[in-house]
Amino acid sequence: MKLFIPGPVTVQPDVLEKMTTQMIGHRSNDASVLQERISDNMRRLWNTSEMILLSTSSGSGLMEAAVRSCTAKKAAIFSVGAFGKRWYDMAVRNNVPADLYASEWGEITTPEEVDKVLKTGKYDLVTITHNETSTGVTNPITEIAEVIKKYPDVIFCADTVSSSAGVKFDVDVLGIDIIITSSQKCLGLPPGIAICNFSQKAVERAKKVENRGFYLDLLSLYNYILKKNYQYPSTPVLPLMFGLDYKLEQILNVEGAENRYERHKKMAERVRDWAQNNFELFAKEGYASDTVTAITNTRGIDVKALNKELGKRGMQISNGYGDLKDKTFRIAHMADTQMEDIEELLRNIDDILNL
């Protein structure tokens, strides 16, 4: 089955094979070397000099960790869809003071809105969803980052779960204190491991927060890595670390990161052209994602029936998310998907729908 859903993605056989590497002691020097190499390559991918942290969780684990570990006063949660709203729910359930600033689905978070909110002085942490998989919207993170730089006491957290390794980030230039991704999307791995950077500014903030939790305490992870030379306080998910180590080598030194970004962009352009010719894009014009396209179901097709027919042909797309079910459908073009895979998918949809 070829998956054209926004995670998990189809994983290449050589990556799966690498994950069957025999276990090593997670307190061994080999484990430290593995983790340090992963960290160095993630720094290269993200263009950052800051500490890299791994979490045996989905990206949601590190989202919760970020808002709990680094909010001393109050968090401003900006949402453009389901996963931005989830960040707010995490804050509330952890008793972290937070306010939600939600845009209409399909719209973006504007830099002007961020500036207006932060200008109040009420907030010391801000969360931005870079790429919202429920709506296919990509926020203008460069412009938003310039606004946040005006407020040096504010910790900048970014959810790039569905865009890192598919879209380029210059994290230190943008000033992102905690950038979060996970394994099952553009990185091309199975689910189960999440990754973030942790800036010195975030470190100093976390020291002022008393109730940071236990398993997801980012400061504890950071301190343990320093003390134990790239090891973790709890058992890490070694198979995924073997896979991540191997995959980062492929991304950076075989395909090349810039080539990977260009491939994602071209696949997105192809799907958007097809969508605009046959349906409509759901995302605000100019802000459509390069990793997943949300398509407005203007023809009123039965998305479930379409997916059933695609399944018979060895392919799967995604229905709309939540309230957008059947009103939209989504085609992901991420990780190791190639243009010929996209062409095959679109030919089959055309055939099934008689387009």
Side-chain angles (χ1 to χ4, degrees):
M1 184 71 70
K2 290 185 179 179
L3 298 177
F4 297 90
I5 63 176
V9 296
T10 301
V11 181
Q12 296 302 303
D14 56 335
V15 178
L16 292 173
E17 183 179 358
K18 193 68 178 179
M19 290 177 58
T20 66
T21 300
Q22 186 57 264
M23 292 298 95
I24 58 177
H26 66 288
R27 300 290 181 227
S28 67
N29 183 63
D30 287 343
S32 293
V33 170
L34 174 65
Q35 167 57 19
E36 185 172 12
R37 188 165 59 239
I38 289 171
S39 296
D40 288 344
N41 281 330
M42 283 304 305
R43 278 189 275 266
R44 285 178 60 193
L45 185 71
W46 275 336
N47 296 297
T48 181
S49 60
E50 302 288 3
M51 179 68 83
I52 300 295
L53 307 179
L54 302 185
S55 172
T56 301
S57 69
S58 67
S60 294
L62 285 181
M63 289 168 64
E64 182 169 328
V67 76
R68 180 165 181 169
S69 296
C70 292
T71 305
K73 187 164 56 176
K74 199 172 193 180
I77 311 292
F78 290 91
S79 172
V80 292
F83 294 95
K85 172 62 164 52
R86 178 180 292 185
W87 221 334
Y88 174 72
D89 292 339
M90 291 169 177
V92 170
R93 294 188 189 191
N94 279 280
N95 203 31
V96 174
D99 288 328
L100 176 65
Y101 295 93
S103 301
E104 182 179 346
W105 284 32
E107 298 291 323
I108 63 167
T109 296
T110 67
E112 292 77 14
E113 182 184 13
V114 175
D115 195 22
K116 180 180 178 181
V117 168
L118 295 185
K119 194 177 292 184
T120 64
K122 295 193 296 183
Y123 306 100
D124 61 354
L125 182 141
V126 60
T127 72
I128 300 292
T129 306
H130 173 250
N131 196 74
E132 175 57 66
T133 54
S134 64
T135 63
V137 167
T138 295
N139 265 323
I141 197 164
T142 300
E143 292 82 356
I144 291 172
E146 287 305 307
V147 168
I148 296 174
K149 287 176 185 177
K150 294 166 54 178
Y151 304 92
D153 292 333
V154 173
I155 298 296
F156 180 8
C157 303
D159 166 6
T160 67
V161 167
S162 60
S163 51
S164 280
V167 176
K168 184 176 182 178
F169 289 96
D170 288 309
V171 168
D172 287 355
V173 172
L174 293 169
I176 302 174
D177 295 295
I178 306 175
I179 185 171
I180 299 165
T181 195
S182 57
S183 53
Q184 78 279 12
K185 298 185 186 285
C186 296
L187 282 168
L189 294 161
I193 192 167
I195 311 143
C196 73
N197 77 320
F198 196 51
S199 74
Q200 279 300 308
K201 179 178 169 182
V203 169
E204 294 307 312
R205 168 60 56 74
K207 291 177 181 178
K208 300 176 182 178
V209 178
E210 291 185 6
N211 297 310
R212 300 184 302 271
F214 182 83
Y215 186 76
L216 296 174
D217 177 1
L218 296 185
L219 185 60
S220 289
L221 291 178
Y222 173 86
N223 287 334
Y224 203 93
I225 289 170
L226 291 181
K227 182 180 178 181
K228 298 292 185 178
N229 187 28
Y230 284 100
Q231 291 186 5
Y232 279 81
S234 55
T235 307
V237 57
L238 287 167
L240 275 164
M241 289 174 67
F242 291 137
L244 178 57
D245 181 44
Y246 178 75
K247 194 65 201 176
L248 287 171
E249 172 68 21
Q250 283 189 331
I251 292 170
L252 294 168
N253 299 324
V254 179
E255 180 177 19
E258 295 295 336
N259 292 333
R260 192 175 185 85
Y261 304 145
E262 185 63 20
R263 175 168 57 81
H264 278 74
K265 182 179 180 181
K266 287 180 177 178
M267 291 190 297
E269 289 170 347
R270 176 69 180 97
V271 174
R272 287 198 288 265
D273 286 345
W274 177 86
Q276 289 172 320
N277 286 333
N278 294 288
F279 297 88
E280 291 179 3
L281 292 179
F282 184 72
K284 179 182 176 69
E285 185 176 357
Y287 298 98
S289 166
D290 277 353
T291 63
V292 56
T293 297
I295 301 164
T296 304
N297 187 8
T298 54
R299 293 173 178 264
I301 66 169
D302 186 332
V303 179
K304 184 178 180 180
L306 168 61
N307 229 357
K308 184 176 180 180
E309 289 302 312
L310 283 171
K312 294 175 182 178
R313 305 180 187 203
M315 289 166 274
Q316 183 182 347
I317 61 172
S318 255
N319 206 324
Y321 192 96
D323 292 341
L324 295 180
K325 184 177 181 180
D326 294 322
K327 297 177 183 177
T328 66
F329 60 96
R330 294 171 294 161
I331 297 175
H333 26 83
M334 59 173 65
D336 297 306
T337 302
Q338 302 295 318
M339 184 64 83
E340 52 264 35
D341 299 316
I342 294 296
E343 295 292 356
E344 180 187 19
L345 172 70
L346 298 181
R347 281 196 303 271
N348 276 277
I349 296 177
D350 287 348
D351 181 54
I352 293 167
L353 298 180
N354 295 312
L355 297 178

